[in-house]
Amino acid sequence: MSYDLETTTANRYQTTATATNTLIRNVYTWMCTALLLTGGTATLVANTPSIAEAVLSNNILFWGLLIAQLGVVWVMSARVNQFSLRTLSTLFMLYSVLTGITFSIYFFIFTAESIASTFFITAGTFGAMSLYGYFTKTDLTKIGNLCIMVLVGIIIASVVNFFLKSETLYWVVTYIGVAVFIGLIAWDTQKIKALARMDDNEHTQKWAILGALTLYLDFINLFIMLLRILGKRR
């Protein structure tokens, strides 16, 4: 009886470990694919004068792209259970392309060298905090909730500063934003790891895409904040 119990426990632990590894691998595969697609799209747009001019000179088009991005994220989050796996993955790739189009504006503001160096700094920071979130035994829920509350404040402050044009508020938001997204990377990684406990394979794969979207957003926003600080303007 004791042997059977130990065997059952060991098998259950092995199954959970395998599910966790599979989920994490899928999350980071989707995330890296999305980042490559965003970077490729941004580079293509920046190096195609006709497209770049259309995006940069047409405010209606530019704001329409931003609104479309928000819409895709909202639809994916709200209807993850209703959509098929293929639909969710298609929407995620669509969002990556839309982000790449709007992201191309940074190629006209900052030098390519500073964009590249900031990317590697962001990747290193992301990797370190993601590893911490995965392996730490500490519950990061309180830190995550605090980061969410501060993030709401950052969004409100950014909207207000759109009209105020305050340089001081701009830098305050930027530095606080770096700290917030560093915290969110660790917390979101810990949450994603917990998703491996789900039994429904298809449902788990859907949440893997949503988890990849979450970490993708953390990465992109951290990159933007660091680029403001470290980027060399043209």
Side-chain angles (χ1 to χ4, degrees):
M1 179 67 72
S2 176
Y3 175 78
D4 291 341
L5 180 59
E6 290 177 1
T7 302
T8 301
T9 302
N11 290 338
R12 185 177 301 171
Y13 176 82
Q14 181 63 37
T15 300
T16 301
T18 301
T20 300
N21 292 335
T22 300
L23 174 67
I24 294 298
R25 184 172 60 251
N26 288 340
V27 166
Y28 286 101
T29 298
W30 280 112
M31 177 193 160
C32 290
T33 301
L35 286 175
L36 288 172
L37 192 55
T38 296
T41 302
T43 303
L44 177 63
V45 172
N47 288 283
T48 308
S50 57
I51 301 178
E53 184 179 357
V55 174
L56 297 176
S57 63
N58 191 326
N59 288 331
I60 295 178
L61 175 59
F62 186 79
W63 284 101
L65 289 170
L66 291 177
I67 293 172
Q69 287 177 243
L70 294 174
V72 172
V73 171
W74 181 84
V75 168
M76 288 181 65
S77 302
R79 305 198 62 183
V80 62
N81 293 322
Q82 286 75 33
F83 286 147
S84 66
L85 184 61
R86 175 175 295 182
T87 300
L88 280 176
S89 59
T90 301
L91 286 173
F92 188 23
M93 294 302 100
L94 173 62
Y95 179 79
S96 304
V97 171
L98 292 175
T99 301
I101 296 174
T102 56
F103 207 76
S104 63
I105 190 174
Y106 290 104
F107 283 86
F108 298 97
I109 300 175
F110 300 97
T111 63
E113 292 79 8
S114 64
I115 290 176
S117 61
T118 303
F119 174 84
F120 286 114
I121 292 172
T122 304
T125 304
F126 178 92
M129 295 311 300
S130 193
L131 285 172
Y132 173 76
Y134 184 86
F135 288 107
T136 184
K137 302 299 182 181
T138 304
D139 186 356
L140 301 177
T141 301
K142 291 184 178 179
I143 293 177
N145 289 335
L146 176 62
C147 287
I148 291 295
M149 289 187 290
V150 176
L151 179 59
V152 172
I154 287 176
I155 294 173
I156 295 173
S158 298
V159 172
V160 171
N161 202 42
F162 180 80
F163 301 99
L164 294 181
K165 308 296 183 182
S166 170
E167 186 174 351
T168 300
L169 184 57
Y170 172 87
W171 287 113
V172 168
V173 166
T174 298
Y175 281 100
I176 294 177
V178 170
V180 165
F181 286 108
I182 285 176
L184 285 176
I185 289 168
W187 183 47
D188 287 332
T189 301
Q190 189 176 75
K191 289 193 302 179
I192 291 169
K193 182 181 178 181
L195 292 175
R197 299 170 184 170
M198 294 181 180
D199 295 326
D200 186 343
N201 184 52
E202 182 178 359
H203 192 69
T204 303
Q205 291 184 58
K206 290 182 180 180
W207 281 102
I209 294 177
L210 207 59
L213 173 62
T214 301
L215 291 180
Y216 169 90
L217 291 173
D218 291 340
F219 187 101
I220 289 293
N221 282 286
L222 178 61
F223 175 78
I224 291 173
M225 296 296 178
L226 288 175
L227 190 60
R228 291 181 181 180
I229 300 171
L230 305 174
K232 182 179 180 182
R233 293 178 178 270
R234 292 182 180 275

